[in-house]
Amino acid sequence: MRWLVIIAAAVAFGRALSGLLGKKTWSALDDQWDRIFLDVLDIQVAAGGILYFFASPITAAAFRNLGVVAQNPALRYFTLDHVLMAILAMMAAHIGRNRSRNAADDRKKFQQAAVWYGLAIALILLAIPWPFLAVGRPLLRWG
């Protein structure tokens, strides 16, 4: 699912940047990609919330002993850092969608979308437990 989020974010951000730099007119396709980006991001964050509160052995261990969270990088990452960045990314994406929809002209629509979606992408990329990190996970899971 994270790859769908990244692809949708890249397309929505790319369209916003292209529209801003190319002085294009906001189209129904721009609006559609914004909606797709938010939909897949919301689904990803909701799925993460379910894992976080109900299914993750990592957060279950952290909740049993919150004092250990600050001292254990993996527990801190998955209990605090990862979750906070995901929520902030979702907020940035929603702010961008709202501001772009309410903007007075096409240039401002693209500008708002580019700024806020760019911020959301940065947070999403920071939130991913990349394999090269100490808390890393595989890029692809097959089961």
Side-chain angles (χ1 to χ4, degrees), residues 27-42:
S27 71
L29 191 58
D30 295 310
D31 197 54
Q32 184 177 12
W33 272 105
D34 287 2
R35 184 78 252 150
I36 290 168
F37 170 40
L38 263 65
D39 286 348
V40 296
L41 181 58
D42 288 349

Side-chain angles (χ1 to χ4, degrees), residues 1-19 24-42 93-94 96-98 100-101 109-110 113-114 116-118 120-121 124:
M1 184 71 182
R2 69 175 146 180
W3 297 112
L4 293 176
V5 172
I6 291 171
I7 291 166
V11 172
F13 176 71
R15 291 189 66 81
L17 200 57
S18 172
K24 297 178 181 176
T25 302
W26 187 269
S27 71
L29 191 58
D30 295 310
D31 197 54
Q32 184 177 12
W33 272 105
D34 287 2
R35 184 78 252 150
I36 290 168
F37 170 40
L38 263 65
D39 286 348
V40 296
L41 181 58
D42 288 349
H94 278 274
R97 169 111 169 121
N98 189 39
S100 67
R101 290 185 73 186
K109 287 179 187 283
F110 286 121
W116 289 99
Y117 294 169
I121 289 171
I124 289 166

